[in-house]
Amino acid sequence: MITTCRAVVTGLLFATMLLCAEPSLVRPGEAWLDNRGQQIQAHGGGMLRLKGKYYWFGEDRTEGNDPERRYVACYSSTDLVRWKFRHQVVALADPEHLGTKWILERPKVFHNARTGKFVMYAHLDNGSYKVARVAVLVSDRIDGNYRYLKSFRPLDEESRDIGQFIDDDGAAYIIFESRPTKGFFIAQLSGDYLSVEKKISFLEAPLEGGALVHYGGLYYVIGSHLTGWRPNPNEYATAPSLSGPWTEFKDIAPPETNTYGSQSTMMLKITGSKKTTVIYMGDIWRPIALWDSRYLWLPLEIGDGNLRLPPPRDWTLEVKTGEAAFTQ
């Protein structure tokens, strides 16, 4: 009996070791659960890496949320697959008297090393999308309660969908769509990250959902056409510098796929010991049941000025080595 028990325990330990040693599996488009077994609520989100952990922020569309408030959730992970719910870091009542259908979307968090503050930018609007501003919120902790500070129009331009970008030198930028100018801006944040300091580039293309990455000596930007919740063929352009010149936009996937039903929100570069992988992070919106919106994360085929989003299928990721591989 003792021998049998020892064998069972040994077998369990061995199975656990094998499980822990397996690469993390990403299942694009499937329901993604956190450590509580609840569906991850990080829509239109952003990512921040701090002290070896990734923090994922996004719109919390949980059923049963107070309809008078807007929520942002925060999750953490070391492998980008298994996520721990940290906190509902924003539970904000209408800060600017915008009306019952007011909007707080696409939250992005930056860490200011000089001030020690965590600064959140988000799209702030009324129900008819006429206000078109960015909101700024701050916290002393990455997963603390973010305090509403102010809103403004960056560069005195309308701002709807926003994206975030942190360059290899640590400089912080937002990307924002401006409907009247029929394009989108890349703008650098001020030293304290509490305002926009200057325009870096304007891309004359009516696109939203801006995502940006620096890879192999080139900057790659992705944008989505202006079709609301409905997916469309996302496009990309490249430039040797953030200030340009930018190439013409090209499709990131066969146009008939409508980006496999997703909309761009971010590109995340994973620099490992063996390889550098760039992950496309998109939202699969379900406007009738926003709480059940899904995520499309896929490793991009990128390099030498070319970018391609492969068809969705399960894939593995090793954050330490930077290696990603499809399982079928």
PDB file of all heavy atoms in Angstrom, residues 32-41 56 74-77 79 81-87:
ATOM      1  N   TRP A  32     -11.838  33.448 -22.688  1.00  0.00           N
ATOM      2  CA  TRP A  32     -10.569  33.464 -21.958  1.00  0.00           C
ATOM      3  C   TRP A  32     -10.896  33.734 -20.491  1.00  0.00           C
ATOM      4  O   TRP A  32     -11.456  34.776 -20.153  1.00  0.00           O
ATOM      5  CB  TRP A  32      -9.678  34.561 -22.521  1.00  0.00           C
ATOM      6  CG  TRP A  32      -8.207  34.328 -22.345  1.00  0.00           C
ATOM      7  CD1 TRP A  32      -7.600  33.511 -21.456  1.00  0.00           C
ATOM      8  CD2 TRP A  32      -7.157  34.931 -23.111  1.00  0.00           C
ATOM      9  NE1 TRP A  32      -6.249  33.560 -21.603  1.00  0.00           N
ATOM     10  CE2 TRP A  32      -5.946  34.426 -22.616  1.00  0.00           C
ATOM     11  CE3 TRP A  32      -7.134  35.851 -24.153  1.00  0.00           C
ATOM     12  CZ2 TRP A  32      -4.710  34.828 -23.121  1.00  0.00           C
ATOM     13  CZ3 TRP A  32      -5.919  36.250 -24.662  1.00  0.00           C
ATOM     14  CH2 TRP A  32      -4.715  35.731 -24.157  1.00  0.00           C
ATOM     15  N   LEU A  33     -10.544  32.779 -19.634  1.00  0.00           N
ATOM     16  CA  LEU A  33     -10.912  32.868 -18.228  1.00  0.00           C
ATOM     17  C   LEU A  33      -9.729  33.288 -17.367  1.00  0.00           C
ATOM     18  O   LEU A  33      -8.584  32.933 -17.650  1.00  0.00           O
ATOM     19  CB  LEU A  33     -11.450  31.518 -17.734  1.00  0.00           C
ATOM     20  CG  LEU A  33     -12.589  30.909 -18.551  1.00  0.00           C
ATOM     21  CD1 LEU A  33     -13.045  29.600 -17.922  1.00  0.00           C
ATOM     22  CD2 LEU A  33     -13.754  31.877 -18.710  1.00  0.00           C
ATOM     23  N   ASP A  34     -10.021  34.026 -16.300  1.00  0.00           N
ATOM     24  CA  ASP A  34      -8.975  34.437 -15.364  1.00  0.00           C
ATOM     25  C   ASP A  34      -8.827  33.396 -14.255  1.00  0.00           C
ATOM     26  O   ASP A  34      -9.405  32.305 -14.314  1.00  0.00           O
ATOM     27  CB  ASP A  34      -9.257  35.837 -14.812  1.00  0.00           C
ATOM     28  CG  ASP A  34     -10.530  35.906 -13.971  1.00  0.00           C
ATOM     29  OD1 ASP A  34     -11.072  34.849 -13.575  1.00  0.00           O
ATOM     30  OD2 ASP A  34     -10.996  37.029 -13.691  1.00  0.00           O
ATOM     31  N   ASN A  35      -8.052  33.722 -13.233  1.00  0.00           N
ATOM     32  CA  ASN A  35      -7.790  32.777 -12.142  1.00  0.00           C
ATOM     33  C   ASN A  35      -9.040  32.465 -11.325  1.00  0.00           C
ATOM     34  O   ASN A  35      -9.079  31.479 -10.597  1.00  0.00           O
ATOM     35  CB  ASN A  35      -6.699  33.334 -11.225  1.00  0.00           C
ATOM     36  CG  ASN A  35      -7.114  34.627 -10.547  1.00  0.00           C
ATOM     37  OD1 ASN A  35      -7.510  35.597 -11.205  1.00  0.00           O
ATOM     38  ND2 ASN A  35      -7.030  34.682  -9.233  1.00  0.00           N
ATOM     39  N   ARG A  36     -10.075  33.284 -11.459  1.00  0.00           N
ATOM     40  CA  ARG A  36     -11.328  33.037 -10.741  1.00  0.00           C
ATOM     41  C   ARG A  36     -12.290  32.182 -11.555  1.00  0.00           C
ATOM     42  O   ARG A  36     -13.381  31.865 -11.069  1.00  0.00           O
ATOM     43  CB  ARG A  36     -12.010  34.370 -10.408  1.00  0.00           C
ATOM     44  CG  ARG A  36     -11.149  35.366  -9.649  1.00  0.00           C
ATOM     45  CD  ARG A  36     -11.800  36.745  -9.638  1.00  0.00           C
ATOM     46  NE  ARG A  36     -11.979  37.245 -11.003  1.00  0.00           N
ATOM     47  CZ  ARG A  36     -12.660  38.347 -11.329  1.00  0.00           C
ATOM     48  NH1 ARG A  36     -13.231  39.058 -10.364  1.00  0.00           N
ATOM     49  NH2 ARG A  36     -12.762  38.732 -12.587  1.00  0.00           N
ATOM     50  N   GLY A  37     -11.899  31.872 -12.807  1.00  0.00           N
ATOM     51  CA  GLY A  37     -12.801  31.145 -13.690  1.00  0.00           C
ATOM     52  C   GLY A  37     -13.804  32.043 -14.372  1.00  0.00           C
ATOM     53  O   GLY A  37     -14.768  31.561 -14.976  1.00  0.00           O
ATOM     54  N   GLN A  38     -13.581  33.355 -14.311  1.00  0.00           N
ATOM     55  CA  GLN A  38     -14.489  34.308 -14.948  1.00  0.00           C
ATOM     56  C   GLN A  38     -13.877  34.828 -16.241  1.00  0.00           C
ATOM     57  O   GLN A  38     -12.658  34.914 -16.383  1.00  0.00           O
ATOM     58  CB  GLN A  38     -14.774  35.475 -13.997  1.00  0.00           C
ATOM     59  CG  GLN A  38     -15.487  35.056 -12.731  1.00  0.00           C
ATOM     60  CD  GLN A  38     -15.832  36.241 -11.840  1.00  0.00           C
ATOM     61  OE1 GLN A  38     -15.950  37.373 -12.305  1.00  0.00           O
ATOM     62  NE2 GLN A  38     -15.987  35.980 -10.553  1.00  0.00           N
ATOM     63  N   GLN A  39     -14.737  35.194 -17.181  1.00  0.00           N
ATOM     64  CA  GLN A  39     -14.273  35.681 -18.477  1.00  0.00           C
ATOM     65  C   GLN A  39     -13.527  37.006 -18.309  1.00  0.00           C
ATOM     66  O   GLN A  39     -13.985  37.914 -17.608  1.00  0.00           O
ATOM     67  CB  GLN A  39     -15.468  35.859 -19.413  1.00  0.00           C
ATOM     68  CG  GLN A  39     -15.084  35.836 -20.882  1.00  0.00           C
ATOM     69  CD  GLN A  39     -16.273  35.497 -21.765  1.00  0.00           C
ATOM     70  OE1 GLN A  39     -17.076  34.632 -21.412  1.00  0.00           O
ATOM     71  NE2 GLN A  39     -16.374  36.146 -22.908  1.00  0.00           N
ATOM     72  N   ILE A  40     -12.353  37.095 -18.946  1.00  0.00           N
ATOM     73  CA  ILE A  40     -11.524  38.293 -18.822  1.00  0.00           C
ATOM     74  C   ILE A  40     -12.234  39.482 -19.455  1.00  0.00           C
ATOM     75  O   ILE A  40     -12.700  39.417 -20.601  1.00  0.00           O
ATOM     76  CB  ILE A  40     -10.145  38.067 -19.472  1.00  0.00           C
ATOM     77  CG1 ILE A  40      -9.348  37.037 -18.664  1.00  0.00           C
ATOM     78  CG2 ILE A  40      -9.375  39.377 -19.584  1.00  0.00           C
ATOM     79  CD1 ILE A  40      -8.044  36.606 -19.310  1.00  0.00           C
ATOM     80  N   GLN A  41     -12.311  40.565 -18.709  1.00  0.00           N
ATOM     81  CA  GLN A  41     -12.937  41.807 -19.163  1.00  0.00           C
ATOM     82  C   GLN A  41     -11.842  42.859 -19.353  1.00  0.00           C
ATOM     83  O   GLN A  41     -11.545  43.656 -18.463  1.00  0.00           O
ATOM     84  CB  GLN A  41     -13.985  42.269 -18.155  1.00  0.00           C
ATOM     85  CG  GLN A  41     -15.142  41.312 -17.966  1.00  0.00           C
ATOM     86  CD  GLN A  41     -16.049  41.255 -19.190  1.00  0.00           C
ATOM     87  OE1 GLN A  41     -16.275  42.254 -19.858  1.00  0.00           O
ATOM     88  NE2 GLN A  41     -16.550  40.071 -19.494  1.00  0.00           N
ATOM     89  N   TRP A  56      -2.509  43.794 -17.938  1.00  0.00           N
ATOM     90  CA  TRP A  56      -3.470  43.993 -19.020  1.00  0.00           C
ATOM     91  C   TRP A  56      -4.644  44.807 -18.471  1.00  0.00           C
ATOM     92  O   TRP A  56      -5.303  44.399 -17.512  1.00  0.00           O
ATOM     93  CB  TRP A  56      -3.925  42.635 -19.518  1.00  0.00           C
ATOM     94  CG  TRP A  56      -4.809  42.600 -20.719  1.00  0.00           C
ATOM     95  CD1 TRP A  56      -5.164  43.633 -21.538  1.00  0.00           C
ATOM     96  CD2 TRP A  56      -5.461  41.433 -21.239  1.00  0.00           C
ATOM     97  NE1 TRP A  56      -5.983  43.188 -22.551  1.00  0.00           N
ATOM     98  CE2 TRP A  56      -6.180  41.842 -22.392  1.00  0.00           C
ATOM     99  CE3 TRP A  56      -5.493  40.083 -20.854  1.00  0.00           C
ATOM    100  CZ2 TRP A  56      -6.935  40.953 -23.150  1.00  0.00           C
ATOM    101  CZ3 TRP A  56      -6.241  39.200 -21.616  1.00  0.00           C
ATOM    102  CH2 TRP A  56      -6.949  39.627 -22.748  1.00  0.00           C
ATOM    103  N   CYS A  74      -8.019  45.327 -14.319  1.00  0.00           N
ATOM    104  CA  CYS A  74      -6.580  45.090 -14.440  1.00  0.00           C
ATOM    105  C   CYS A  74      -6.300  43.620 -14.112  1.00  0.00           C
ATOM    106  O   CYS A  74      -6.815  43.090 -13.126  1.00  0.00           O
ATOM    107  CB  CYS A  74      -5.799  45.996 -13.494  1.00  0.00           C
ATOM    108  SG  CYS A  74      -4.031  45.639 -13.400  1.00  0.00           S
ATOM    109  N   TYR A  75      -5.471  42.983 -14.954  1.00  0.00           N
ATOM    110  CA  TYR A  75      -5.050  41.596 -14.778  1.00  0.00           C
ATOM    111  C   TYR A  75      -3.527  41.535 -14.877  1.00  0.00           C
ATOM    112  O   TYR A  75      -2.904  42.386 -15.524  1.00  0.00           O
ATOM    113  CB  TYR A  75      -5.654  40.695 -15.862  1.00  0.00           C
ATOM    114  CG  TYR A  75      -7.158  40.691 -15.899  1.00  0.00           C
ATOM    115  CD1 TYR A  75      -7.856  41.699 -16.557  1.00  0.00           C
ATOM    116  CD2 TYR A  75      -7.895  39.686 -15.285  1.00  0.00           C
ATOM    117  CE1 TYR A  75      -9.244  41.708 -16.602  1.00  0.00           C
ATOM    118  CE2 TYR A  75      -9.281  39.678 -15.323  1.00  0.00           C
ATOM    119  CZ  TYR A  75      -9.954  40.705 -15.980  1.00  0.00           C
ATOM    120  OH  TYR A  75     -11.326  40.706 -16.015  1.00  0.00           O
ATOM    121  N   SER A  76      -2.932  40.525 -14.267  1.00  0.00           N
ATOM    122  CA  SER A  76      -1.478  40.357 -14.365  1.00  0.00           C
ATOM    123  C   SER A  76      -1.135  38.926 -14.769  1.00  0.00           C
ATOM    124  O   SER A  76      -1.893  37.988 -14.509  1.00  0.00           O
ATOM    125  CB  SER A  76      -0.792  40.703 -13.042  1.00  0.00           C
ATOM    126  OG  SER A  76      -1.108  39.754 -12.041  1.00  0.00           O
ATOM    127  N   SER A  77       0.044  38.786 -15.408  1.00  0.00           N
ATOM    128  CA  SER A  77       0.486  37.476 -15.877  1.00  0.00           C
ATOM    129  C   SER A  77       1.994  37.504 -16.068  1.00  0.00           C
ATOM    130  O   SER A  77       2.577  38.561 -16.349  1.00  0.00           O
ATOM    131  CB  SER A  77      -0.194  37.130 -17.203  1.00  0.00           C
ATOM    132  OG  SER A  77       0.306  35.915 -17.738  1.00  0.00           O
ATOM    133  N   ASP A  79       3.184  34.881 -18.132  1.00  0.00           N
ATOM    134  CA  ASP A  79       3.333  34.130 -19.385  1.00  0.00           C
ATOM    135  C   ASP A  79       2.394  34.603 -20.490  1.00  0.00           C
ATOM    136  O   ASP A  79       2.371  34.023 -21.575  1.00  0.00           O
ATOM    137  CB  ASP A  79       3.135  32.637 -19.147  1.00  0.00           C
ATOM    138  CG  ASP A  79       1.730  32.277 -18.652  1.00  0.00           C
ATOM    139  OD1 ASP A  79       0.853  33.172 -18.610  1.00  0.00           O
ATOM    140  OD2 ASP A  79       1.507  31.102 -18.308  1.00  0.00           O
ATOM    141  N   VAL A  81      -0.690  34.213 -20.791  1.00  0.00           N
ATOM    142  CA  VAL A  81      -1.806  33.300 -21.032  1.00  0.00           C
ATOM    143  C   VAL A  81      -2.646  33.106 -19.773  1.00  0.00           C
ATOM    144  O   VAL A  81      -3.869  33.207 -19.807  1.00  0.00           O
ATOM    145  CB  VAL A  81      -1.303  31.937 -21.553  1.00  0.00           C
ATOM    146  CG1 VAL A  81      -2.468  30.967 -21.726  1.00  0.00           C
ATOM    147  CG2 VAL A  81      -0.578  32.117 -22.883  1.00  0.00           C
ATOM    148  N   ARG A  82      -1.992  32.825 -18.665  1.00  0.00           N
ATOM    149  CA  ARG A  82      -2.708  32.645 -17.394  1.00  0.00           C
ATOM    150  C   ARG A  82      -2.757  33.995 -16.682  1.00  0.00           C
ATOM    151  O   ARG A  82      -1.717  34.539 -16.307  1.00  0.00           O
ATOM    152  CB  ARG A  82      -2.022  31.578 -16.549  1.00  0.00           C
ATOM    153  CG  ARG A  82      -2.182  30.168 -17.114  1.00  0.00           C
ATOM    154  CD  ARG A  82      -1.369  29.155 -16.345  1.00  0.00           C
ATOM    155  NE  ARG A  82       0.022  29.146 -16.781  1.00  0.00           N
ATOM    156  CZ  ARG A  82       0.517  28.292 -17.670  1.00  0.00           C
ATOM    157  NH1 ARG A  82      -0.263  27.391 -18.222  1.00  0.00           N
ATOM    158  NH2 ARG A  82       1.788  28.346 -18.015  1.00  0.00           N
ATOM    159  N   TRP A  83      -3.988  34.490 -16.491  1.00  0.00           N
ATOM    160  CA  TRP A  83      -4.172  35.857 -15.993  1.00  0.00           C
ATOM    161  C   TRP A  83      -4.842  35.870 -14.623  1.00  0.00           C
ATOM    162  O   TRP A  83      -5.821  35.168 -14.393  1.00  0.00           O
ATOM    163  CB  TRP A  83      -5.007  36.664 -16.987  1.00  0.00           C
ATOM    164  CG  TRP A  83      -4.262  36.926 -18.257  1.00  0.00           C
ATOM    165  CD1 TRP A  83      -4.307  36.191 -19.407  1.00  0.00           C
ATOM    166  CD2 TRP A  83      -3.328  37.993 -18.489  1.00  0.00           C
ATOM    167  NE1 TRP A  83      -3.468  36.739 -20.341  1.00  0.00           N
ATOM    168  CE2 TRP A  83      -2.859  37.843 -19.823  1.00  0.00           C
ATOM    169  CE3 TRP A  83      -2.856  39.061 -17.723  1.00  0.00           C
ATOM    170  CZ2 TRP A  83      -1.937  38.722 -20.393  1.00  0.00           C
ATOM    171  CZ3 TRP A  83      -1.945  39.932 -18.287  1.00  0.00           C
ATOM    172  CH2 TRP A  83      -1.486  39.760 -19.600  1.00  0.00           C
ATOM    173  N   LYS A  84      -4.280  36.693 -13.746  1.00  0.00           N
ATOM    174  CA  LYS A  84      -4.829  36.888 -12.401  1.00  0.00           C
ATOM    175  C   LYS A  84      -5.569  38.219 -12.351  1.00  0.00           C
ATOM    176  O   LYS A  84      -5.015  39.256 -12.723  1.00  0.00           O
ATOM    177  CB  LYS A  84      -3.705  36.879 -11.364  1.00  0.00           C
ATOM    178  CG  LYS A  84      -4.187  37.140  -9.943  1.00  0.00           C
ATOM    179  CD  LYS A  84      -3.018  37.182  -8.973  1.00  0.00           C
ATOM    180  CE  LYS A  84      -3.485  37.491  -7.552  1.00  0.00           C
ATOM    181  NZ  LYS A  84      -2.344  37.559  -6.600  1.00  0.00           N
ATOM    182  N   PHE A  85      -6.819  38.174 -11.920  1.00  0.00           N
ATOM    183  CA  PHE A  85      -7.568  39.416 -11.733  1.00  0.00           C
ATOM    184  C   PHE A  85      -6.977  40.183 -10.561  1.00  0.00           C
ATOM    185  O   PHE A  85      -6.825  39.649  -9.468  1.00  0.00           O
ATOM    186  CB  PHE A  85      -9.040  39.114 -11.460  1.00  0.00           C
ATOM    187  CG  PHE A  85      -9.857  40.340 -11.147  1.00  0.00           C
ATOM    188  CD1 PHE A  85     -10.213  41.224 -12.149  1.00  0.00           C
ATOM    189  CD2 PHE A  85     -10.260  40.606  -9.842  1.00  0.00           C
ATOM    190  CE1 PHE A  85     -10.968  42.356 -11.862  1.00  0.00           C
ATOM    191  CE2 PHE A  85     -11.009  41.731  -9.547  1.00  0.00           C
ATOM    192  CZ  PHE A  85     -11.361  42.619 -10.562  1.00  0.00           C
ATOM    193  N   ARG A  86      -6.620  41.448 -10.815  1.00  0.00           N
ATOM    194  CA  ARG A  86      -6.022  42.281  -9.766  1.00  0.00           C
ATOM    195  C   ARG A  86      -7.060  43.175  -9.085  1.00  0.00           C
ATOM    196  O   ARG A  86      -7.183  43.167  -7.861  1.00  0.00           O
ATOM    197  CB  ARG A  86      -4.911  43.156 -10.358  1.00  0.00           C
ATOM    198  CG  ARG A  86      -3.849  42.409 -11.148  1.00  0.00           C
ATOM    199  CD  ARG A  86      -2.903  41.642 -10.281  1.00  0.00           C
ATOM    200  NE  ARG A  86      -2.138  42.472  -9.391  1.00  0.00           N
ATOM    201  CZ  ARG A  86      -0.982  42.122  -8.850  1.00  0.00           C
ATOM    202  NH1 ARG A  86      -0.470  40.921  -9.123  1.00  0.00           N
ATOM    203  NH2 ARG A  86      -0.339  42.913  -8.028  1.00  0.00           N
ATOM    204  N   HIS A  87      -7.775  43.938  -9.927  1.00  0.00           N
ATOM    205  CA  HIS A  87      -8.639  44.943  -9.315  1.00  0.00           C
ATOM    206  C   HIS A  87      -9.463  45.616 -10.413  1.00  0.00           C
ATOM    207  O   HIS A  87      -9.034  45.697 -11.561  1.00  0.00           O
ATOM    208  CB  HIS A  87      -7.763  45.992  -8.611  1.00  0.00           C
ATOM    209  CG  HIS A  87      -8.509  47.014  -7.822  1.00  0.00           C
ATOM    210  ND1 HIS A  87      -9.503  46.697  -6.939  1.00  0.00           N
ATOM    211  CD2 HIS A  87      -8.400  48.367  -7.795  1.00  0.00           C
ATOM    212  CE1 HIS A  87      -9.955  47.807  -6.388  1.00  0.00           C
ATOM    213  NE2 HIS A  87      -9.317  48.835  -6.900  1.00  0.00           N
TER     214      HIS A  87
END
